[in-house]
Amino acid sequence: MSGRFIALEGGEGVGKSTQGRMLAEALRARGIDVVTTREPGGTAGAEAIRAMLLSTEGDGWGARAEALLFAAARADHVEKLILPAVARGAWVVCDRYVDSSRAYQGGGGGLSDNDVMTLHRIGSAGLLPDLTVLLAVRPEVSAERLALRDGGAADRIGGRGADYHARVAAAFRAFAEAEPGRFAVVDAEGSPEEVHGRVMAELMERQS
Ligand code: TYD
């Protein structure tokens, strides 16, 4: 069986990590070799960059430096983990990928989509997932989930204002509309099991 690359995307508190775990388990139950990973991170080098990006110490990064660091972390991740796994026939389930850079550093931080994609071409030869699952909830629902998860202790990016996160959510929606073949937009409200059922339905539909 040939490998596949699936990314989970969405704003803060939409349940990406839970859905990633459930998706991986369901695929493994079907006998598929699954590699779960996340961004920023997934390799030693990328995890080191993650620590620099998300630390709340110091005075932070400007949007451009931040975009370069995400692109550098992604380059290491793609080269050392994602491409080798797909090449040996595994399915990679990745919590966030380049659409997060497009939405956060682009939509939220003000970089042009062209600039973000140029960094992605330089870093990762422009590699895109076979399928990008966008988990979408109403803003009031994600705010509620985040308060429960972080108890007010968000990381540097998660802790940015409501305006920033509204721009991120709008950007994700726009990307999904522009590329309906690559994106599956899944309603992420309801129980984890309900959302998982929707994710699996999208996957099955796109396989046939
Ligand atoms: P993480 O703790 O993984 O957040 P979440 O659980 O919400 O996925 O932290 C990742 C943070 O980094 C999150 O706020 C989104 C942000 N991010 C970017 O700004 N650009 C990117 O390219 C990626 C991959 C993540």
Side-chain angles (χ1 to χ4, degrees):
M1 198 188 294
S2 59
R4 285 253 253 160
F5 175 24
I6 301 172
L8 294 167
E9 294 279 13
E12 315 285 314
V14 294
K16 286 184 306 301
S17 24
T18 306
Q19 290 306 319
R21 272 195 303 275
M22 293 175 89
L23 174 59
E25 272 168 36
L27 294 173
R28 285 187 185 118
R30 289 167 161 76
I32 295 170
D33 177 7
V34 182
V35 174
T36 56
T37 187
R38 68 163 180 188
E39 289 208 347
T43 58
E47 291 288 338
I49 296 175
R50 175 188 179 92
M52 297 198 300
L53 275 163
L54 300 184
S55 161
T56 48
E57 279 167 26
D59 56 4
W61 304 100
R64 285 172 187 279
E66 192 174 271
L68 285 158
L69 286 169
F70 275 112
R74 183 163 300 122
D76 197 63
H77 190 212
V78 165
E79 180 190 342
K80 295 188 182 144
L81 190 145
I82 297 175
L83 287 179
V86 172
R88 70 159 203 268
W91 286 37
V92 174
V93 174
C94 188
D95 186 338
R96 297 194 181 280
Y97 188 64
V98 71
D99 296 299
S100 279
S101 284
R102 300 173 70 203
Y104 284 77
Q105 284 66 54
L111 259 75
S112 74
D113 197 47
N114 192 33
D115 281 352
V116 174
M117 289 311 287
T118 298
L119 296 182
H120 187 49
R121 271 193 295 281
I122 295 168
S124 305
L127 178 75
L128 292 176
D130 298 302
L131 175 66
T132 302
V133 177
L134 176 62
L135 296 173
V137 301
R138 283 168 296 157
E140 55 270 33
V141 174
S142 70
E144 202 174 293
R145 288 187 188 175
L146 264 184
L148 280 175
R149 186 187 74 174
D150 293 344
D155 59 47
R156 182 182 293 284
I157 296 174
R160 286 176 187 163
D163 277 11
Y164 182 92
H165 291 294
R167 292 200 300 278
V168 167
F172 273 131
R173 288 270 185 199
F175 303 151
E177 271 171 33
E179 265 189 278
R182 177 165 70 87
F183 277 89
V185 182
V186 169
D187 171 9
E189 293 188 27
S191 71
E193 289 72 22
E194 280 167 338
V195 179
H196 173 63
R198 294 177 198 139
V199 171
M200 292 307 287
E202 285 287 347
L203 212 65
M204 296 302 127
E205 201 174 293
R206 277 151 201 270
Q207 275 207 298
S208 50

